[in-house]
Coordinates of all heavy atoms in Angstrom, one line a residue:
M1 N -2.0 30.0 -17.1 CA -1.1 29.0 -16.8 C -1.7 27.6 -17.1 O -1.1 26.7 -17.6 CB -0.6 29.1 -15.4 CG 0.4 28.0 -15.0 SD 1.2 28.5 -13.5 CE 1.5 27.0 -12.8
F2 N -3.0 27.4 -16.6 CA -3.7 26.2 -16.9 C -4.7 26.4 -18.0 O -5.5 27.3 -17.8 CB -4.4 25.7 -15.6 CG -3.5 25.4 -14.5 CD1 -3.4 26.3 -13.4 CD2 -2.7 24.3 -14.5 CE1 -2.6 26.0 -12.3 CE2 -1.9 24.0 -13.4 CZ -1.8 24.8 -12.3
G3 N -4.7 25.7 -19.0 CA -5.7 25.8 -20.1 C -7.0 25.3 -19.6 O -7.2 24.7 -18.6
A4 N -8.0 25.6 -20.4 CA -9.4 25.1 -20.1 C -9.4 23.6 -20.0 O -8.9 22.9 -20.8 CB -10.3 25.6 -21.2
G5 N -9.9 23.1 -18.9 CA -10.0 21.7 -18.7 C -8.7 21.0 -18.3 O -8.6 19.8 -18.3
A6 N -7.7 21.8 -18.0 CA -6.4 21.2 -17.6 C -6.5 20.5 -16.2 O -7.2 21.0 -15.4 CB -5.3 22.2 -17.6
D7 N -5.8 19.5 -16.1 CA -5.7 18.8 -14.8 C -4.7 19.4 -13.9 O -3.5 19.3 -14.0 CB -5.4 17.3 -15.0 CG -5.3 16.5 -13.7 OD1 -5.9 17.0 -12.7 OD2 -4.7 15.4 -13.7
R8 N -5.2 20.1 -12.9 CA -4.4 20.8 -11.9 C -3.8 19.9 -10.9 O -2.8 20.3 -10.2 CB -5.1 22.0 -11.3 CG -5.6 23.0 -12.2 CD -6.5 24.0 -11.5 NE -7.2 24.8 -12.5 CZ -7.3 26.1 -12.4 NH1 -6.9 26.7 -11.3 NH2 -7.9 26.8 -13.3
S9 N -4.4 18.8 -10.6 CA -3.9 17.9 -9.5 C -2.5 17.5 -9.6 O -1.8 17.3 -8.6 CB -4.9 16.7 -9.4 OG -4.8 15.9 -10.5
S10 N -2.0 17.3 -10.8 CA -0.6 16.8 -11.0 C 0.4 17.9 -10.8 O 1.6 17.7 -10.8 CB -0.5 16.2 -12.3 OG -0.7 17.1 -13.4
F11 N 0.0 19.2 -10.7 CA 0.9 20.3 -10.6 C 1.3 20.6 -9.1 O 2.2 21.4 -8.9 CB 0.4 21.5 -11.3 CG 0.3 21.4 -12.7 CD1 -0.8 21.1 -13.4 CD2 1.5 21.5 -13.5 CE1 -0.9 21.0 -14.8 CE2 1.5 21.4 -14.9 CZ 0.3 21.1 -15.5
G12 N 0.6 20.1 -8.1 CA 0.8 20.5 -6.8 C 0.2 21.8 -6.4 O -0.9 22.1 -6.9
T13 N 0.8 22.6 -5.5 CA 0.2 23.8 -5.1 C 1.0 25.0 -5.7 O 2.2 24.8 -6.1 CB 0.3 24.0 -3.6 OG1 1.7 23.9 -3.1 CG2 -0.5 22.9 -2.9
I14 N 0.4 26.2 -5.7 CA 1.1 27.3 -6.3 C 1.6 28.2 -5.2 O 0.8 28.5 -4.3 CB 0.2 28.1 -7.3 CG1 -0.2 27.2 -8.4 CG2 0.8 29.4 -7.8 CD1 -1.2 27.8 -9.4
D15 N 2.8 28.7 -5.3 CA 3.4 29.6 -4.3 C 3.1 31.0 -4.8 O 3.7 31.5 -5.8 CB 4.9 29.3 -4.2 CG 5.6 30.2 -3.1 OD1 4.9 31.0 -2.5 OD2 6.8 30.0 -2.9
H16 N 2.3 31.7 -4.1 CA 1.9 33.1 -4.5 C 2.7 34.2 -3.8 O 2.5 35.3 -4.0 CB 0.4 33.3 -4.2 CG -0.5 32.5 -5.1 ND1 -0.7 32.9 -6.4 CD2 -1.2 31.4 -4.9 CE1 -1.6 32.0 -6.9 NE2 -1.8 31.1 -6.0
R17 N 3.7 33.8 -3.0 CA 4.5 34.8 -2.3 C 5.4 35.5 -3.2 O 5.8 36.7 -3.0 CB 5.4 34.1 -1.2 CG 4.5 33.5 -0.1 CD 5.4 32.7 0.8 NE 5.9 31.5 0.1 CZ 6.7 30.6 0.6 NH1 7.1 30.7 1.8 NH2 7.1 29.6 -0.1
N18 N 5.9 35.0 -4.3 CA 6.8 35.6 -5.2 C 6.0 36.4 -6.3 O 4.8 36.1 -6.5 CB 7.7 34.6 -6.0 CG 8.5 33.9 -5.0 OD1 9.0 34.4 -4.0 ND2 8.8 32.6 -5.3
R19 N 6.6 37.3 -6.9 CA 6.0 38.1 -8.0 C 5.6 37.2 -9.1 O 4.6 37.4 -9.8 CB 6.9 39.2 -8.5 CG 6.3 40.1 -9.5 CD 7.2 41.3 -9.7 NE 6.6 42.0 -10.8 CZ 7.3 42.6 -11.7 NH1 8.6 42.6 -11.7 NH2 6.6 43.3 -12.7
F20 N 6.5 36.2 -9.4 CA 6.2 35.2 -10.4 C 5.9 33.9 -9.8 O 6.9 33.2 -9.4 CB 7.4 35.1 -11.4 CG 7.7 36.4 -12.1 CD1 8.8 37.2 -11.6 CD2 6.9 36.9 -13.1 CE1 9.1 38.4 -12.2 CE2 7.2 38.1 -13.7 CZ 8.3 38.9 -13.2
P21 N 4.7 33.5 -9.6 CA 4.4 32.3 -8.9 C 5.0 31.1 -9.6 O 5.1 31.0 -10.8 CB 2.8 32.2 -8.9 CG 2.4 33.3 -9.7 CD 3.5 34.2 -10.1
C22 N 5.4 30.1 -8.8 CA 5.9 28.9 -9.3 C 5.2 27.7 -8.7 O 4.5 27.8 -7.7 CB 7.4 28.8 -9.1 SG 7.8 28.7 -7.3
V23 N 5.3 26.6 -9.4 CA 4.6 25.4 -8.9 C 5.5 24.7 -7.9 O 6.7 24.5 -8.2 CB 4.2 24.5 -10.1 CG1 3.6 23.2 -9.6 CG2 3.3 25.2 -11.0
I24 N 5.0 24.3 -6.8 CA 5.7 23.5 -5.8 C 5.2 22.1 -5.8 O 4.0 21.9 -5.7 CB 5.5 24.1 -4.4 CG1 6.0 25.6 -4.4 CG2 6.2 23.3 -3.4 CD1 5.7 26.3 -3.0
K25 N 6.1 21.2 -6.1 CA 5.7 19.8 -6.0 C 5.3 19.4 -4.6 O 6.0 19.7 -3.7 CB 6.8 18.9 -6.5 CG 7.0 19.0 -8.0 CD 6.0 18.2 -8.8 CE 6.3 18.2 -10.2 NZ 5.4 17.4 -11.0
T26 N 4.2 18.7 -4.5 CA 3.8 18.2 -3.2 C 4.3 16.7 -3.1 O 4.2 16.0 -4.0 CB 2.3 18.3 -3.0 OG1 1.6 17.6 -4.0 CG2 1.8 19.7 -2.9
R27 N 4.6 16.3 -1.9 CA 5.0 14.9 -1.6 C 3.8 14.1 -1.2 O 3.1 14.5 -0.4 CB 6.1 14.8 -0.5 CG 7.4 15.3 -0.9 CD 8.4 15.0 0.2 NE 9.6 15.6 -0.1 CZ 10.7 15.3 0.6 NH1 10.7 14.4 1.6 NH2 11.8 15.9 0.4
R28 N 3.7 13.0 -1.8 CA 2.7 12.1 -1.5 C 3.3 10.8 -0.9 O 4.4 10.4 -1.4 CB 1.8 11.7 -2.7 CG 1.0 12.8 -3.2 CD 0.1 12.3 -4.3 NE -0.6 13.4 -4.9 CZ -0.8 13.6 -6.1 NH1 -0.3 12.7 -7.0 NH2 -1.4 14.6 -6.6
K29 N 2.7 10.3 0.2 CA 3.2 9.1 0.7 C 3.0 7.9 -0.3 O 1.9 7.7 -0.7 CB 2.6 8.8 2.1 CG 3.1 7.6 2.7 CD 2.5 7.4 4.1 CE 3.1 6.1 4.7 NZ 2.5 5.8 6.0
R30 N 4.0 7.3 -0.7 CA 3.9 6.2 -1.7 C 3.7 4.9 -0.9 O 4.3 4.7 0.1 CB 5.2 6.1 -2.5 CG 5.4 7.3 -3.3 CD 6.7 7.3 -4.1 NE 6.7 6.1 -4.9 CZ 7.8 5.5 -5.4 NH1 9.0 6.0 -5.1 NH2 7.7 4.4 -6.2
P31 N 2.8 4.1 -1.5 CA 2.6 2.8 -0.9 C 3.8 1.9 -0.9 O 4.7 2.1 -1.8 CB 1.5 2.1 -1.7 CG 1.3 3.0 -2.9 CD 2.0 4.3 -2.7
M32 N 4.0 1.1 0.1 CA 5.2 0.3 0.2 C 5.3 -0.7 -0.9 O 4.3 -1.2 -1.4 CB 5.2 -0.5 1.5 CG 6.4 -1.3 1.7 SD 6.7 -1.8 3.4 CE 6.8 -0.2 4.2
N33 N 6.4 -0.9 -1.4 CA 6.7 -1.9 -2.4 C 6.7 -3.3 -1.9 O 7.2 -3.5 -0.8 CB 8.1 -1.6 -3.0 CG 8.5 -2.4 -4.2 OD1 8.1 -3.6 -4.3 ND2 9.3 -1.9 -5.0
W34 N 6.0 -4.2 -2.5 CA 5.8 -5.6 -2.0 C 7.2 -6.3 -1.9 O 7.4 -7.1 -1.0 CB 4.9 -6.4 -2.9 CG 4.6 -7.7 -2.2 CD1 5.2 -8.9 -2.4 CD2 3.7 -7.9 -1.1 NE1 4.7 -9.8 -1.5 CE2 3.8 -9.2 -0.7 CE3 2.8 -7.1 -0.4 CZ2 3.1 -9.8 0.3 CZ3 2.1 -7.6 0.6 CH2 2.2 -9.0 1.0
D35 N 8.1 -5.9 -2.7 CA 9.5 -6.5 -2.6 C 10.1 -6.3 -1.2 O 10.7 -7.2 -0.7 CB 10.4 -6.0 -3.7 CG 10.0 -6.4 -5.1 OD1 9.4 -7.5 -5.2 OD2 10.4 -5.7 -6.0
R36 N 9.8 -5.1 -0.7 CA 10.4 -4.8 0.6 C 9.7 -5.7 1.7 O 10.3 -6.1 2.6 CB 10.2 -3.3 0.9 CG 10.7 -3.0 2.3 CD 10.9 -1.5 2.4 NE 11.3 -1.2 3.8 CZ 10.7 -0.3 4.6 NH1 9.8 0.4 4.1 NH2 11.1 -0.2 5.8
I37 N 8.4 -5.9 1.6 CA 7.7 -6.7 2.5 C 8.2 -8.1 2.4 O 8.4 -8.8 3.4 CB 6.2 -6.6 2.3 CG1 5.7 -5.2 2.8 CG2 5.4 -7.7 3.0 CD1 4.3 -5.0 2.6
E38 N 8.4 -8.6 1.2 CA 8.8 -10.0 1.0 C 10.2 -10.2 1.6 O 10.5 -11.2 2.3 CB 8.9 -10.3 -0.5 CG 9.0 -11.7 -0.9 CD 8.9 -11.9 -2.3 OE1 8.9 -11.0 -3.1 OE2 8.7 -13.1 -2.7
E39 N 11.1 -9.2 1.5 CA 12.4 -9.3 2.0 C 12.4 -9.3 3.6 O 13.3 -9.8 4.2 CB 13.3 -8.2 1.5 CG 13.6 -8.3 0.0 CD 14.2 -7.0 -0.5 OE1 14.4 -6.0 0.3 OE2 14.5 -6.9 -1.7
N40 N 11.4 -8.6 4.1 CA 11.4 -8.4 5.6 C 10.1 -9.0 6.2 O 9.5 -8.5 7.0 CB 11.4 -6.9 5.9 CG 12.6 -6.2 5.4 OD1 13.7 -6.5 5.9 ND2 12.5 -5.3 4.5
W41 N 9.8 -10.2 5.6 CA 8.5 -10.8 6.0 C 8.4 -11.0 7.5 O 7.3 -10.9 8.1 CB 8.3 -12.1 5.3 CG 6.9 -12.7 5.6 CD1 6.7 -13.9 6.2 CD2 5.6 -12.1 5.4 NE1 5.3 -14.1 6.4 CE2 4.7 -13.0 5.9 CE3 5.2 -10.9 4.8 CZ2 3.3 -12.8 5.8 CZ3 3.9 -10.7 4.7 CH2 2.9 -11.6 5.2
K42 N 9.5 -11.4 8.2 CA 9.4 -11.6 9.6 C 9.0 -10.4 10.4 O 8.2 -10.4 11.4 CB 10.8 -12.1 10.2 CG 11.1 -13.5 9.7 CD 12.4 -14.0 10.3 CE 12.6 -15.4 9.8 NZ 13.8 -16.0 10.4
E43 N 9.4 -9.2 9.9 CA 9.0 -7.9 10.5 C 7.5 -7.7 10.3 O 6.8 -7.2 11.1 CB 9.8 -6.8 9.9 CG 9.4 -5.4 10.4 CD 10.2 -4.3 9.6 OE1 11.3 -4.6 9.0 OE2 9.6 -3.2 9.6
F44 N 7.0 -8.0 9.1 CA 5.7 -7.6 8.7 C 4.7 -8.7 9.1 O 3.5 -8.5 9.0 CB 5.6 -7.3 7.2 CG 6.2 -6.0 6.9 CD1 7.5 -5.9 6.4 CD2 5.5 -4.8 7.1 CE1 8.1 -4.7 6.1 CE2 6.1 -3.6 6.8 CZ 7.3 -3.6 6.3
K45 N 5.2 -9.9 9.4 CA 4.3 -11.0 9.8 C 3.3 -10.6 10.9 O 2.1 -10.9 10.8 CB 5.1 -12.2 10.2 CG 4.4 -13.4 10.5 CD 5.3 -14.6 10.8 CE 5.4 -14.7 12.3 NZ 6.0 -15.9 12.8
G46 N 3.8 -10.0 11.9 CA 3.0 -9.6 13.0 C 1.9 -8.5 12.6 O 0.8 -8.6 13.1
K47 N 2.3 -7.7 11.7 CA 1.4 -6.6 11.2 C 0.3 -7.3 10.4 O -0.9 -6.9 10.4 CB 2.1 -5.6 10.4 CG 3.1 -4.8 11.2 CD 3.8 -3.8 10.4 CE 4.8 -3.0 11.3 NZ 5.6 -2.0 10.5
A48 N 0.6 -8.3 9.7 CA -0.4 -9.1 8.9 C -1.3 -9.8 9.8 O -2.5 -9.8 9.5 CB 0.3 -10.1 7.9
I49 N -0.8 -10.4 10.8 CA -1.7 -11.1 11.8 C -2.6 -10.1 12.5 O -3.8 -10.4 12.7 CB -0.9 -11.9 12.8 CG1 -0.2 -13.1 12.1 CG2 -1.7 -12.4 14.0 CD1 0.8 -13.9 12.9
A50 N -2.1 -8.9 12.8 CA -2.9 -7.9 13.4 C -4.0 -7.4 12.5 O -5.1 -7.2 12.9 CB -2.1 -6.7 13.9
Q51 N -3.7 -7.3 11.2 CA -4.7 -6.9 10.2 C -5.8 -8.0 10.0 O -6.9 -7.7 9.9 CB -4.0 -6.6 8.9 CG -4.9 -6.2 7.8 CD -5.7 -4.9 8.0 OE1 -5.2 -4.0 8.6 NE2 -6.9 -4.9 7.4
W52 N -5.3 -9.2 9.8 CA -6.2 -10.3 9.5 C -6.1 -11.3 10.6 O -5.4 -12.3 10.5 CB -5.8 -11.0 8.1 CG -6.0 -10.0 7.0 CD1 -7.1 -9.6 6.4 CD2 -4.9 -9.3 6.3 NE1 -6.9 -8.7 5.4 CE2 -5.5 -8.5 5.3 CE3 -3.5 -9.3 6.4 CZ2 -4.8 -7.7 4.5 CZ3 -2.8 -8.5 5.6 CH2 -3.4 -7.7 4.6
G53 N -6.9 -11.1 11.7 CA -6.9 -11.9 12.9 C -7.3 -13.3 12.8 O -7.0 -14.1 13.6
K54 N -8.0 -13.7 11.7 CA -8.4 -15.1 11.5 C -7.2 -15.9 11.0 O -7.3 -17.2 11.1 CB -9.5 -15.2 10.5 CG -10.8 -14.6 11.0 CD -11.9 -14.8 10.0 CE -13.2 -14.2 10.4 NZ -14.3 -14.4 9.4
L55 N -6.1 -15.3 10.6 CA -5.0 -16.1 10.1 C -4.1 -16.5 11.3 O -3.9 -15.7 12.2 CB -4.1 -15.3 9.2 CG -4.8 -14.6 8.0 CD1 -3.8 -13.9 7.1 CD2 -5.5 -15.7 7.1
T56 N -3.7 -17.8 11.3 CA -2.9 -18.3 12.4 C -1.4 -18.0 12.1 O -1.0 -17.7 11.0 CB -3.0 -19.8 12.5 OG1 -2.5 -20.4 11.4 CG2 -4.5 -20.2 12.7
D57 N -0.6 -18.0 13.2 CA 0.8 -17.8 13.1 C 1.4 -18.8 12.1 O 2.3 -18.4 11.3 CB 1.4 -18.0 14.5 CG 2.7 -17.3 14.6 OD1 2.9 -16.2 14.0 OD2 3.6 -17.9 15.3
D58 N 1.0 -20.0 12.1 CA 1.6 -21.0 11.2 C 1.2 -20.7 9.8 O 2.1 -20.9 8.9 CB 1.1 -22.4 11.6 CG 1.7 -23.0 12.8 OD1 2.8 -22.4 13.2 OD2 1.2 -23.9 13.4
E59 N 0.0 -20.3 9.5 CA -0.4 -20.0 8.2 C 0.4 -18.8 7.6 O 0.8 -18.8 6.5 CB -1.9 -19.6 8.1 CG -2.8 -20.9 8.3 CD -4.3 -20.5 8.6 OE1 -4.6 -19.4 9.1 OE2 -5.1 -21.3 8.2
V60 N 0.6 -17.8 8.4 CA 1.3 -16.6 8.0 C 2.8 -17.0 7.8 O 3.4 -16.4 6.9 CB 1.1 -15.4 9.0 CG1 1.9 -14.3 8.6 CG2 -0.4 -15.0 9.0
D61 N 3.3 -17.9 8.6 CA 4.7 -18.4 8.4 C 4.8 -19.0 7.0 O 5.8 -18.8 6.3 CB 5.1 -19.4 9.4 CG 5.6 -18.8 10.7 OD1 6.0 -17.6 10.7 OD2 5.6 -19.5 11.8
R62 N 3.8 -19.8 6.6 CA 3.8 -20.5 5.3 C 3.7 -19.5 4.1 O 4.2 -19.8 3.1 CB 2.8 -21.5 5.2 CG 3.1 -22.8 6.0 CD 2.2 -23.9 5.7 NE 0.8 -23.6 5.9 CZ 0.1 -23.9 7.0 NH1 0.7 -24.5 8.1 NH2 -1.2 -23.6 7.2
V63 N 3.1 -18.4 4.4 CA 3.0 -17.3 3.3 C 4.4 -16.9 2.9 O 4.7 -16.7 1.7 CB 2.2 -16.1 3.8 CG1 2.4 -14.9 2.9 CG2 0.7 -16.5 4.0
D64 N 5.3 -16.7 3.9 CA 6.7 -16.4 3.7 C 6.9 -15.2 2.7 O 7.8 -15.3 1.8 CB 7.5 -17.6 3.2 CG 9.0 -17.5 3.3 OD1 9.4 -16.8 4.2 OD2 9.7 -18.0 2.5
G65 N 6.0 -14.2 2.8 CA 6.2 -13.0 2.0 C 5.6 -13.1 0.6 O 5.7 -12.2 -0.2
R66 N 5.0 -14.2 0.3 CA 4.4 -14.4 -1.1 C 3.0 -13.8 -1.1 O 2.1 -14.3 -0.4 CB 4.4 -15.9 -1.5 CG 5.8 -16.4 -1.7 CD 5.7 -17.9 -2.2 NE 4.9 -18.7 -1.3 CZ 5.4 -19.5 -0.4 NH1 6.7 -19.6 -0.1 NH2 4.6 -20.3 0.4
R67 N 2.8 -12.8 -1.9 CA 1.6 -12.0 -1.9 C 0.4 -12.9 -2.4 O -0.7 -12.8 -1.9 CB 1.7 -10.8 -2.9 CG 0.5 -10.0 -2.9 CD 0.8 -8.8 -3.8 NE -0.4 -8.0 -3.9 CZ -0.4 -6.7 -3.9 NH1 0.7 -6.0 -3.8 NH2 -1.6 -6.0 -4.0
T68 N 0.6 -13.8 -3.4 CA -0.4 -14.6 -3.9 C -0.9 -15.6 -2.8 O -2.1 -15.9 -2.7 CB 0.0 -15.4 -5.1 OG1 1.2 -16.1 -4.9 CG2 0.2 -14.5 -6.3
E69 N 0.0 -16.1 -2.0 CA -0.3 -17.0 -0.9 C -1.2 -16.2 0.2 O -2.2 -16.7 0.7 CB 0.9 -17.5 -0.2 CG 1.7 -18.5 -1.1 CD 1.0 -19.8 -1.3 OE1 0.3 -20.3 -0.4 OE2 1.1 -20.2 -2.5
L70 N -0.8 -15.0 0.5 CA -1.5 -14.2 1.4 C -2.9 -13.9 0.9 O -3.9 -14.1 1.7 CB -0.8 -12.9 1.7 CG -1.5 -11.9 2.7 CD1 -1.7 -12.6 4.1 CD2 -0.7 -10.6 2.8
A71 N -3.0 -13.5 -0.4 CA -4.4 -13.3 -0.9 C -5.2 -14.6 -0.9 O -6.4 -14.5 -0.6 CB -4.2 -12.8 -2.4
G72 N -4.6 -15.7 -1.2 CA -5.4 -17.0 -1.1 C -5.9 -17.3 0.3 O -7.0 -17.7 0.5
L73 N -5.1 -17.0 1.3 CA -5.5 -17.2 2.7 C -6.6 -16.3 3.1 O -7.6 -16.7 3.8 CB -4.3 -17.0 3.6 CG -3.5 -18.2 4.0 CD1 -2.3 -17.8 4.8 CD2 -4.3 -19.3 4.7
I74 N -6.5 -15.0 2.7 CA -7.6 -14.0 3.0 C -8.9 -14.5 2.3 O -9.9 -14.4 2.9 CB -7.1 -12.6 2.5 CG1 -6.0 -12.2 3.4 CG2 -8.3 -11.7 2.6 CD1 -5.3 -10.9 2.8
Q75 N -8.8 -15.0 1.1 CA -10.0 -15.5 0.4 C -10.6 -16.6 1.2 O -11.8 -16.6 1.4 CB -9.6 -16.0 -1.0 CG -9.4 -15.0 -2.1 CD -9.1 -15.7 -3.4 OE1 -8.0 -15.9 -3.7 NE2 -10.2 -16.1 -4.1
Q76 N -9.8 -17.5 1.6 CA -10.3 -18.7 2.2 C -10.9 -18.4 3.6 O -12.0 -18.9 3.9 CB -9.1 -19.7 2.4 CG -9.4 -21.0 3.1 CD -8.2 -21.9 3.3 OE1 -7.1 -21.5 2.9 NE2 -8.4 -23.1 3.8
K77 N -10.2 -17.7 4.4 CA -10.6 -17.4 5.8 C -11.7 -16.4 5.9 O -12.5 -16.5 6.8 CB -9.4 -16.9 6.6 CG -8.3 -17.9 6.8 CD -8.8 -18.9 7.9 CE -7.7 -19.9 8.2 NZ -7.9 -20.5 9.5
Y78 N -11.8 -15.5 5.0 CA -12.8 -14.4 5.0 C -13.9 -14.5 4.0 O -14.8 -13.7 3.9 CB -12.1 -13.0 4.9 CG -11.3 -12.7 6.2 CD1 -10.0 -13.1 6.3 CD2 -11.9 -12.0 7.2 CE1 -9.2 -12.8 7.4 CE2 -11.2 -11.7 8.4 CZ -9.8 -12.1 8.5 OH -9.1 -11.8 9.6
G79 N -13.8 -15.5 3.1 CA -14.8 -15.7 2.1 C -14.9 -14.6 1.1 O -16.0 -14.2 0.6
K80 N -13.8 -14.1 0.7 CA -13.7 -12.9 -0.2 C -13.3 -13.4 -1.6 O -12.7 -14.5 -1.8 CB -12.7 -11.9 0.3 CG -13.1 -11.3 1.6 CD -12.1 -10.1 1.9 CE -12.7 -9.4 3.2 NZ -12.5 -8.0 3.1
T81 N -13.6 -12.6 -2.6 CA -13.1 -12.9 -3.9 C -11.6 -12.5 -4.0 O -11.1 -11.9 -3.1 CB -13.9 -12.0 -5.0 OG1 -13.6 -10.7 -4.8 CG2 -15.4 -12.3 -4.9
R82 N -11.0 -13.0 -5.1 CA -9.6 -12.6 -5.3 C -9.4 -11.1 -5.4 O -8.4 -10.6 -4.8 CB -9.1 -13.3 -6.6 CG -7.7 -13.1 -6.9 CD -6.8 -13.7 -5.8 NE -5.7 -14.4 -6.3 CZ -5.0 -15.2 -5.6 NH1 -5.3 -15.5 -4.3 NH2 -4.0 -15.9 -6.0
E83 N -10.3 -10.4 -6.1 CA -10.2 -9.0 -6.2 C -10.3 -8.3 -4.8 O -9.6 -7.3 -4.6 CB -11.3 -8.5 -7.2 CG -11.0 -8.9 -8.6 CD -11.5 -10.3 -8.9 OE1 -12.3 -10.9 -8.2 OE2 -11.0 -10.9 -9.9
E84 N -11.3 -8.8 -4.0 CA -11.4 -8.2 -2.7 C -10.2 -8.4 -1.8 O -9.8 -7.5 -1.1 CB -12.7 -8.8 -2.0 CG -14.0 -8.4 -2.6 CD -15.2 -9.2 -2.1 OE1 -15.0 -10.3 -1.7 OE2 -16.3 -8.6 -2.0
A85 N -9.7 -9.6 -1.9 CA -8.4 -9.9 -1.1 C -7.3 -9.0 -1.6 O -6.5 -8.5 -0.7 CB -8.1 -11.4 -1.3
E86 N -7.1 -8.8 -2.9 CA -6.1 -8.0 -3.4 C -6.3 -6.5 -3.0 O -5.3 -5.8 -2.6 CB -6.0 -8.1 -4.9 CG -5.4 -9.3 -5.4 CD -3.9 -9.5 -5.1 OE1 -3.2 -8.4 -4.9 OE2 -3.4 -10.6 -5.0
K87 N -7.5 -6.1 -3.0 CA -7.8 -4.7 -2.5 C -7.5 -4.5 -1.0 O -6.9 -3.5 -0.6 CB -9.3 -4.3 -2.8 CG -9.6 -2.9 -2.3 CD -10.8 -2.3 -2.9 CE -11.1 -0.9 -2.4 NZ -10.3 -0.3 -1.5
D88 N -7.8 -5.5 -0.2 CA -7.4 -5.5 1.2 C -5.9 -5.4 1.4 O -5.4 -4.6 2.2 CB -7.9 -6.8 1.9 CG -9.4 -6.7 2.2 OD1 -10.1 -5.7 1.9 OD2 -9.9 -7.8 2.7
I89 N -5.2 -6.1 0.6 CA -3.7 -6.1 0.7 C -3.2 -4.7 0.2 O -2.3 -4.2 0.9 CB -3.1 -7.2 -0.2 CG1 -3.4 -8.6 0.4 CG2 -1.6 -7.0 -0.3 CD1 -3.1 -9.8 -0.4
E90 N -3.8 -4.2 -0.8 CA -3.4 -2.8 -1.3 C -3.6 -1.8 -0.2 O -2.8 -0.9 0.0 CB -4.1 -2.5 -2.6 CG -3.5 -3.0 -3.8 CD -2.1 -2.6 -4.1 OE1 -1.7 -1.4 -3.9 OE2 -1.3 -3.5 -4.4
D91 N -4.8 -1.9 0.4 CA -5.1 -0.9 1.5 C -4.1 -1.1 2.7 O -3.7 -0.1 3.2 CB -6.6 -1.2 2.0 CG -7.6 -0.8 1.0 OD1 -7.3 -0.1 0.0 OD2 -8.8 -1.2 1.1
W92 N -3.8 -2.3 3.0 CA -2.8 -2.6 4.1 C -1.5 -2.0 3.7 O -0.8 -1.4 4.5 CB -2.8 -4.1 4.3 CG -1.8 -4.5 5.4 CD1 -2.0 -4.3 6.7 CD2 -0.7 -5.3 5.2 NE1 -0.9 -4.9 7.4 CE2 -0.1 -5.5 6.5 CE3 -0.1 -5.9 4.1 CZ2 1.1 -6.3 6.7 CZ3 1.1 -6.6 4.3 CH2 1.6 -6.8 5.6
L93 N -1.1 -2.2 2.5 CA 0.2 -1.7 2.0 C 0.3 -0.2 2.1 O 1.3 0.4 2.4 CB 0.5 -2.1 0.6 CG 1.0 -3.5 0.3 CD1 1.0 -3.7 -1.2 CD2 2.3 -3.7 0.9
S94 N -0.8 0.5 1.8 CA -0.8 2.0 1.8 C -0.6 2.5 3.2 O -0.2 3.7 3.3 CB -2.1 2.5 1.1 OG -3.2 2.3 1.9
R95 N -0.9 1.7 4.2 CA -0.8 2.2 5.6 C 0.6 1.9 6.2 O 0.9 2.2 7.3 CB -1.8 1.6 6.4 CG -3.2 2.1 6.1 CD -4.3 1.7 7.1 NE -4.3 0.3 7.3 CZ -5.1 -0.6 6.6 NH1 -5.8 -0.1 5.6 NH2 -5.1 -1.8 6.9
H96 N 1.4 1.1 5.4 CA 2.7 0.7 6.0 C 3.9 1.1 5.1 O 4.0 1.5 4.2 CB 2.8 -0.8 6.2 CG 1.8 -1.3 7.2 ND1 0.5 -1.6 6.9 CD2 1.9 -1.4 8.6 CE1 -0.1 -2.0 8.1 NE2 0.7 -1.9 9.1

């Protein structure tokens, strides 16, 4: 079924209960789309403050769902590079 060197990870798991095994797709939790966060910023504002405690309520209000603004604040408050701030945001998104 899988040729030499084939990537099995994209096939999911194999169901061996049947005489003819079939591939079962596995569900992976998809990271949240930033558009959803932007639309519901008031809901996510508290989660952002909980994640990045150095950010003030007023600063997070000014972000108003704009990812670039949030990354800039994280850079400024935590002394991170743009890439590090973006990675922090991606990690946060994957948990929400």
